[in-house]
Amino acid sequence: MSAHYAKDNDIAIITMDNPPVNGLSYATRLKLLEGLSLALDDAEVKAIVITGAGKAFSGGADIKEFGTPWASKEPHLLNVIAAIEQSSKPVIAAVHTVAMGGGLELALACHFRIFSRACDVALPEVNLGLLPGAGGTQRLPRVLGAEVALNMIVTGVSIKSQDLAQIPGQKLIDKLVDSAEELKAQALEFARTKAQEGGLPLVRNLPCKHPNADAYIQFARNMVKGMAKNLPAPGKCVDCVAAALKSRTFDEGMHIERENFVYLMSTPESRALRHLFFSQRAASKIADVPESTPKRLVQQVAVVGAGTMGGGIAMNYLNAGVPVTILEMQQEALDRGLATIQKNYVAQVKKGKLKESDLQKRMQLLKPTLSYDDLQNADLVIEAVFEEMDIKQKVFEKLDAVVKPGAILASNTSTLDVNKIASFTKRPQDVVGMHFFSPANVMKLLEVVRGSQTAKDVLSTVMASAKQIKKTAVVAGVCDGFIGNRMIEQYSRQAGFLLDEGCTPSQVDKALERFGFAMGPFRMGDLAGNDIGWAIRKRRVQERPFMRYSTTADKLCELGRFGQKTKAGWYDYMEGSRNATPSQWVEDMLVQHRAQLGIKPRKISDDEIVHRLLFALVNEGARILEDKIASKASDIDVVYVTGYGFPIHRGGPMLYADQYGLYNVVRAMQKFAKNPYDDAQFWQPAKLILELLDAGKNFNNIN
Ligand code: NAD
């Protein structure tokens, strides 16, 4: 079903019915037009109500049709809108819940709109790098005023109908009713009244004014420029609202909206945002674990270790209202962990992001303990102790002995073998990796590491749990570093080689930051603590002596230059400041180091810097796909954008490689392989890349 037609005596009712949110699919558009024709041809019908079944009035374009011919098949939404505006009988939009994107644009074309109080109203197209392309930028300013409308269009935020109804002079909502349940009856009564009154007012005929239009538009442009940095869509939204204010006719403004919409559709930035939107949805789907897989009940969580990660992990569950027991070995460490959690919440209260009463509620849900006996009833235990296998072994043996059967035992390890950790228990099917990122209460990414024996219901429970705590979960297989950290190893190695060959840390960082990364690798190292990578490297050098690294990072750490926390790392830091100042000591160390290696430094271009680092990610990413550590290239993109600061407008490393062209990527790798100071073996293009190239495909084709 897409939309159905019914009559209540003299009122025609067209109900969009395309679950889950009445997306405006081809079939729905067709049915809306058919319904309008039926109503107009029926002499008994005096007015037409358009409404939605189920959870929404309409959530806008049907995402199932994205990228298919159905999306652009006529009739378009603009045809439906034109038909409504041409109707000789009043058309009333009856909105009971969600009116977003095209759904709101449809309502704006109607002669009247009746809303229930708690509807979510938004034009969220900007989140996909687009703008509302069916008149939203021209009609919304006419009913809400240019400032409120532009704010909604440029941010995509959703506002409640009851709040919009308060705006003085607003013309979006002709009538507000208390509840969704009474909407239908009220809409019929309202429609009858309007039919009797006569008159077919259209939003397009309303004036669009601002007392100080030029100054306001200039102000908006400046604001948006600062906010949107690498994304063209917000600026184009401003252009369209400016057109609504300045054009001689409504249709002239519509023309400008169309031109900008078509332009944005073809930008790589919009392509990247759309790719990420679909990739995030796809990441939650696991081929052999359907969504219908039964889930275990998670009502009580326990966290082992109250350090940097344990505290943040606990906060995620406390925020979701789930009781958490947190365990440490020593009272002092427990107190420290609790104080940090409390401090983080207090900071949120000070910033006005959290109510004092909610702080209290959350802290009351937290139970500190030094005894494993208090973990007996936990449904999910997440271990976040030191990254050492023998310590993890002791913890898991203990958990196996005390925790109730059926509980899920998760490890937050960043690099260690989850299968080995599972083998410390007699229930490896209940063991899984839950790799959070620091700060764990802020970062969106969760790598869910699937052990060789992890049960399907454990996996599906953990994926659901991730949703509950608002994380983006991506499933990874077991290997050293899983998806993200296995790839970052190659990225870091390249960064090290670049220093050996002639770059400074700030030159590398600036090149990556210009590409769009929030932070280059060296500033990132200083922030995270260079000692963390050092510890991992020491283990890896033992396990894989054939892997060659630049030793500059080790030299830095041997002198205690761990980064911001020691006020010195790749950069110098003034007391109390996070500003990175290039360090003369580091530069001297690099000069000496190159001399020892017999390397004559050369000038390295930003292009080479960026591509060596990015294609290192791509080549390792491709090997990760070959090894089935990630099931789709899009999962890798989600990991990098949500966990590693990869620029959103680039869509992730694998999409970047597709857009750069795999042929060009391979050529660049072959060139890098010839560099005597680099790792020729590593730069052999992954088999998968060569196969894709040969078959005329790219990573996106195998998602
Ligand atoms: P941390 O040193 O800040 O905290 C570890 C805590 O575990 C300490 O408070 C320590 O007292 C406690 N602990 C140690 N042995 C224990 C035991 N037997 N029983 C109970 N508590 C014990 O370390 P962290 O940075 O929070 O890292 C913890 C885990 O998370 C590691 O496996 C690490 O690889 C992983 N991880 C860290 C990060 C990061 O950026 N810090 C990111 C992702 C994953």
Side-chain angles (χ1 to χ4, degrees):
M1 186 66 78
S2 50
H4 45 81
Y5 181 82
K7 262 173 67 178
D8 186 293
N9 299 316
D10 54 346
I11 307 294
I13 307 162
I14 306 171
T15 307
M16 293 178 277
D17 191 359
N18 179 23
V21 292
N22 301 328
L24 295 161
S25 62
Y26 168 72
T28 308
R29 302 190 298 267
L30 210 58
K31 283 282 174 192
L32 277 164
L33 284 170
E34 275 177 26
L36 281 168
S37 298
L38 280 174
L40 292 174
D41 290 347
D42 185 337
E44 196 192 9
V45 169
K46 299 289 180 265
I48 303 153
V49 170
I50 298 181
T51 191
K55 286 202 288 196
F57 171 76
S58 170
D62 189 338
I63 61 166
K64 292 192 286 296
E65 284 189 353
F66 268 45
T68 73
W70 299 106
S72 54
K73 188 167 175 183
E74 289 190 68
H76 300 153
L77 176 57
L78 282 168
N79 301 120
V80 180
I81 282 174
I84 293 172
E85 286 193 327
Q86 285 154 17
S87 165
S88 54
K89 299 175 183 177
V91 182
I92 294 99
V95 183
H96 65 303
T97 51
V98 173
M100 290 198 185
L104 179 58
E105 290 176 301
L106 181 76
L108 282 166
C110 295
H111 301 102
F112 302 99
R113 286 156 295 279
I114 170 166
F115 280 70
S116 70
R117 275 191 178 282
C119 297
D120 292 308
V121 182
L123 289 174
E125 288 81 353
V126 74
N127 295 326
L128 298 180
L130 300 172
L131 52 77
T137 67
Q138 302 305 299
R139 289 191 181 86
L140 201 65
R142 285 176 158 79
V143 294
L144 292 181
E147 294 197 17
V148 176
L150 180 56
N151 193 31
M152 286 177 72
I153 294 167
V154 129
T155 60
V157 292
S158 162
I159 304 189
K160 289 283 178 207
S161 44
Q162 57 191 4
D163 296 330
L164 291 170
Q166 305 290 321
I167 295 170
Q170 68 80 23
K171 293 197 160 54
L172 172 66
I173 300 169
D174 295 295
K175 188 175 168 68
L176 191 68
V177 303
D178 281 336
S179 70
E181 292 69 43
E182 61 188 279
L183 184 82
K184 188 177 169 196
Q186 296 248 10
L188 291 176
E189 196 187 314
F190 182 80
R192 280 189 184 109
T193 310
K194 291 299 163 191
Q196 258 174 18
E197 285 174 5
L200 298 168
L202 288 176
V203 172
R204 64 155 57 225
N205 295 330
L206 294 172
C208 188
K209 286 197 194 129
H210 187 285
N212 216 339
D214 288 330
Y216 169 65
I217 288 297
Q218 192 51 47
F219 162 79
R221 268 194 225 294
N222 294 343
M223 287 288 287
V224 159
K225 213 183 250 171
M227 268 166 42
K229 268 212 234 131
N230 298 308
L231 296 167
K236 296 291 180 196
C237 293
V238 179
D239 290 350
C240 290
V241 173
L245 285 164
K246 300 290 213 173
S247 298
R248 279 170 296 128
T249 63
F250 177 84
D251 288 332
E252 194 179 305
M254 283 297 288
H255 185 67
I256 292 172
E257 180 189 270
R258 182 96 312 245
E259 269 182 2
N260 281 304
F261 180 82
V262 170
Y263 165 76
L264 287 174
M265 272 302 273
S266 66
T267 58
E269 292 84 359
S270 172
R271 179 159 177 223
L273 293 181
R274 282 178 277 144
H275 166 73
L276 288 168
F277 175 79
F278 288 107
S279 301
Q280 297 210 13
R281 290 171 162 251
S284 64
K285 297 187 172 61
I286 311 168
D288 62 334
V289 185
E291 271 167 54
S292 56
T293 306
K295 291 174 188 50
R296 301 187 189 181
L297 213 56
V298 177
Q299 290 174 323
Q300 297 231 29
V301 168
V303 176
V304 183
T308 312
M309 295 305 288
I313 294 168
M315 285 177 76
N316 288 318
Y317 284 96
L318 299 175
N319 297 349
V322 180
V324 177
T325 305
I326 190 157
L327 178 135
E328 266 285 347
M329 297 284 283
Q330 310 282 345
Q331 187 65 46
E332 203 195 337
L334 194 57
D335 292 344
R336 206 177 324 121
L338 249 59
T340 307
I341 294 175
Q342 171 96 18
K343 195 182 88 194
N344 286 340
Y345 279 138
V346 168
Q348 287 181 15
V349 171
K350 278 194 186 140
K351 283 186 201 150
K353 289 183 176 166
L354 184 71
K355 282 196 245 151
E356 175 71 35
S357 56
D358 286 333
L359 180 158
Q360 303 301 344
K361 267 188 223 152
R362 289 176 195 190
M363 289 309 285
Q364 277 159 15
L365 286 172
L366 182 63
K367 181 174 177 206
T369 184
L370 296 173
S371 164
Y372 273 88
D373 292 342
D374 289 329
L375 270 44
Q376 272 174 18
N377 292 323
D379 302 303
L380 166 66
V381 184
I382 305 171
E383 165 277 311
V385 303
F386 300 135
E387 184 80 337
E388 284 172 40
M389 196 52 112
D390 49 350
I391 303 185
K392 307 259 189 220
Q393 174 166 7
K394 287 195 189 96
V395 170
F396 274 82
E397 284 171 356
K398 192 77 189 160
L399 291 174
D400 194 26
V402 299
V403 177
K404 71 179 179 192
I408 296 173
L409 306 181
S411 172
N412 181 46
T413 178
S414 327
T415 51
L416 298 177
D417 183 343
V418 172
N419 290 332
K420 190 153 184 207
I421 294 176
S423 75
F424 302 140
T425 72
K426 289 187 230 35
R427 37 176 137 172
Q429 74 282 358
D430 297 339
V431 177
V432 65
M434 286 178 80
H435 182 211
F436 289 85
F437 287 71
S438 182
N441 54 319
V442 177
M443 294 294 287
K444 280 268 157 264
L445 178 63
L446 176 68
E447 272 184 324
V448 173
V449 186
R450 181 178 190 173
S452 56
Q453 296 190 58
T454 305
K456 288 187 179 175
D457 64 340
V458 166
L459 209 56
S460 77
T461 306
V462 169
M463 295 302 279
S465 182
K467 211 175 255 177
Q468 189 190 11
I469 58 172
K470 302 195 171 78
K471 297 289 174 196
T472 304
V474 175
V475 177
V478 176
C479 69
D480 185 352
F482 317 124
I483 298 174
N485 283 344
R486 173 166 156 184
M487 286 166 66
I488 210 78
E489 181 188 8
Q490 300 305 336
Y491 173 93
S492 305
R493 281 176 76 228
Q494 284 301 319
F497 294 151
L498 284 165
L499 297 188
D500 291 353
E501 291 169 38
C503 288
T504 61
S506 70
Q507 190 194 350
V508 176
D509 284 346
K510 283 198 184 120
L512 269 292
E513 286 156 20
R514 271 194 285 270
F515 177 79
F517 274 88
M519 249 183 245
F522 297 106
R523 285 217 292 141
M524 182 55 105
D526 276 1
L527 177 70
N530 296 311
D531 49 323
I532 296 183
W534 192 29
I536 296 173
R537 242 175 0 259
K538 281 189 217 164
R539 174 178 61 76
R540 283 180 173 157
V541 167
Q542 298 248 315
E543 289 174 6
R544 292 179 286 158
F546 52 86
M547 187 70 84
R548 194 167 60 78
Y549 298 90
S550 162
T551 53
T552 51
D554 298 345
K555 286 194 175 147
L556 202 72
C557 290
E558 281 155 18
L559 285 165
R561 294 184 68 105
F562 295 159
Q564 288 189 14
K565 60 184 167 188
T566 56
K567 307 271 166 279
W570 293 108
Y571 296 90
D572 293 333
Y573 298 87
M574 304 275 278
E575 189 62 45
S577 165
R578 287 169 177 270
N579 285 346
T581 316
S583 159
Q584 190 58 50
W585 184 90
V586 171
E587 284 189 23
D588 292 346
M589 184 263 282
L590 291 174
V591 169
Q592 227 179 29
H593 177 72
R594 288 177 202 129
Q596 277 166 4
L597 295 177
I599 299 179
K600 195 161 162 271
R602 68 181 168 99
K603 199 165 163 13
I604 299 176
S605 69
D606 278 9
D607 191 63
E608 179 176 342
I609 295 172
V610 167
H611 284 138
R612 276 173 68 176
L613 266 65
L614 289 192
F615 296 157
L617 292 177
V618 171
N619 215 17
E620 195 62 22
R623 292 185 179 130
I624 279 173
L625 288 168
E626 285 169 13
D627 295 349
K628 308 219 177 315
I629 297 300
S631 59
K632 355 182 211 332
S634 62
D635 281 358
I636 296 176
D637 287 337
V638 172
V639 164
Y640 263 76
V641 169
T642 54
Y644 291 82
F646 197 97
I648 293 176
H649 69 283
R650 306 275 191 184
M654 309 315 266
L655 182 75
Y656 181 77
D658 278 355
Q659 297 209 338
Y660 193 78
L662 292 189
Y663 179 80
N664 296 328
V665 171
V666 167
R667 262 173 71 96
M669 289 181 183
Q670 286 163 342
K671 188 170 154 227
F672 300 152
K674 291 189 186 132
N675 175 351
Y677 305 115
D678 204 327
D679 181 345
Q681 183 63 33
F682 171 79
W683 282 123
Q684 296 314 305
K687 209 166 123 241
L688 175 66
I689 300 182
L690 296 176
E691 281 168 8
L692 287 173
L693 195 55
D694 198 40
K697 290 185 176 171
N698 61 22
F699 290 116
N700 197 38
N701 298 133
I702 54 165
N703 278 331

